[in-house]
Amino acid sequence: MRTTDMTSWHPASWTARQAQQQPKYNDPAALEAVVAQLSRLPPLVVSWEIEQLRERLAEAQVGNKFLLMGGDCAETFEECESDKIAKKLKILLQMSLVLLHGLKKPIIRVGRMAGQYAKPRSADTETRNGVTLPAFRGDLVNRSEFTAAAREPDPLLLLRGYERAALTLNFVRALCDGGFADLHHPQYWDLGFMQHSPLRAQYQQIVDSIADSLEFFERVSGGRAPHEVTAVDFFSSHEGLLMHYEQAQTRYIERNKRWYNLSTHMPWIGMRTAQLDGAHVEFFRGVANPMGVKIGPAMTTEWLQGLVTTLNPNNTPGRLTIIHRFGAKDVENGLPKMIKAVKETGQQVLWICDPMHGNTETSSGGFKTRRFENILKELELSFRIHESHGSFLGGVHIELTGEDVTECTGGARGLTDADLARAYKSTVDPRLNYEQALELAMLIGRHGPKR
Ligand code: PEP
Ligand code: CO
């Protein structure tokens, strides 16, 4: 059958299909030159890291690990700064620690980082005061200013994005290798502006309990180098949206006899680009990375079954993660039939919930926001629905930042609509702030399954 026949696949076979959400580059020669250059530059990640992640995700698929995916809705070139990157890494590490404590199983950490520069848009153009220009599609594509020059898709931005991704990854790797992610490192525990949080005591309790266990472990293991057991790994992910960028870093790895997308460890495709006969599915069926697919209320059971069998024809463990984002309102109606549909295929997938994108609304003051209570509710319902359908939720996908922003309402500090104007920084979707993200981890740790 066409979709599972690997003999017809090559890194550019997607070009024969309809590609949704792509910019219109007006200078094909310039685009080609950039893609050629990107194809020669060293890869951002390597295949053995990708395989390591896939193996861990395979363990999550059988309930032995839990996946935490998180980061900004969109990274920006401007925010490629040491402090912002370190803070984002820190909140993800702290969340993972809290989850480890609560769920009693290892946490796989995957950042929406080092490549999350392109965004799907609901319309190709934007009109202001009678002027129509191409929509802003993220820093990898064009510039946000509303002028014809800024909105013109610029192929050079693909290179600038690759460079920013490399700088980000380099810093993250150095921080992890240098002990930032070692459970003994004081930075790891530091609460920053959580000092005055209502959650402080609870967080401290978790930290103390882990420190105790660590000390106990070191005593019984006869002082074995703690780094061996306490160092953490960190993986990258982004939406695999812009086909030229994804293709340019895709290489054949002779040792594994497979093609890998070496721009990130774990790409995902959104539902807007998940057409079975579309370019994205064609491209991603041919790369060996573990990958995610987002599904929401518009997904049908036949479509999902088609995606599962096309993207993972050999039922490879760890290959496919389904990220559902129905919203607290629709999850009870939407999720059960998806679980049944995947069961019918006989395929093993990892189910995780993105409780952000189905719960977006507009605040009374006109801000795009999300309520903490709805985010939590969708998660709680998802844990329960999976359990009652002989499945389980094996991870979460969150939009968050390490900063003290006010973009989502609710949480222990009780942010209201009136607070949103104080520190609303996102130009895309509203993110959980540091404190809300940690609170969510504590609540998942308390309510999630311990299987
Ligand atoms: C996103 O993850 O930022 C996103 C655009 O999500 P979705 O495709 O699920 O709406
Ligand atoms: Co988003």
Side-chain angles (χ1 to χ4, degrees), residues 213-413:
S213 318
L214 211 62
E215 200 186 305
F216 172 76
F217 182 83
E218 281 162 16
R219 237 181 294 128
V220 299
S221 68
R224 191 151 73 87
H227 197 71
E228 278 174 43
V229 279
T230 57
V232 298
D233 293 316
F234 191 82
F235 299 94
S236 66
S237 70
H238 64 249
E239 178 167 355
L241 185 68
L242 210 56
M243 296 310 298
H244 290 102
Y245 185 76
E246 304 303 320
Q247 182 198 326
Q249 287 263 307
T250 294
R251 315 272 158 91
Y252 188 71
I253 304 298
E254 189 57 46
R255 190 168 37 91
N256 302 347
K257 306 254 176 296
R258 295 293 315 265
W259 291 87
Y260 287 83
N261 179 349
L262 301 179
S263 72
T264 191
H265 298 110
M266 183 182 185
W268 76 84
I269 52 178
M271 231 180 79
R272 295 173 191 80
T273 52
Q275 297 75 21
L276 275 176
D277 57 357
H280 292 74
V281 169
E282 169 59 19
F283 174 77
F284 281 105
R285 79 183 175 90
V287 298
N289 303 54
M291 65 172 298
V293 182
K294 290 247 207 144
I295 67 166
M299 180 54 61
T300 66
T301 51
E302 296 76 23
W303 184 3
L304 181 58
Q305 288 177 334
L307 286 170
V308 166
T309 51
T310 305
L311 293 170
N312 192 20
N314 301 321
N315 200 6
T316 307
R319 156 73 170 168
L320 203 58
T321 295
I322 298 179
I323 308 166
H324 55 79
R325 23 90 79 234
F326 286 96
K329 237 177 19 302
D330 287 332
V331 64
E332 285 171 294
N333 183 36
L335 183 56
K337 53 183 182 279
M338 297 299 152
I339 297 174
K340 280 186 212 126
V342 172
K343 266 192 201 303
E344 277 167 25
T345 66
Q347 292 251 4
Q348 189 145 59
V349 303
L350 175 64
W351 290 98
I352 74 171
C353 175
D354 162 0
M356 312 300 292
H357 288 90
N359 293 310
T360 315
E361 57 186 293
T362 304
S363 76
S364 48
F367 286 99
K368 195 174 180 187
T369 191
R370 291 160 175 158
R371 296 180 207 203
F372 189 88
E373 72 210 52
N374 287 339
I375 292 169
L376 183 63
K377 186 169 173 208
E378 181 168 0
L379 280 177
E380 285 175 346
L381 286 170
S382 297
F383 276 115
R384 209 171 324 134
I385 294 165
H386 276 286
E387 223 161 75
S388 62
H389 288 79
S391 171
F392 64 91
L393 191 70
V396 290
H397 182 117
I398 312 283
E399 283 183 346
L400 55 79
T401 169
E403 321 273 316
D404 188 13
V405 299
T406 55
E407 297 171 5
C408 294
T409 59
R413 218 179 269 272

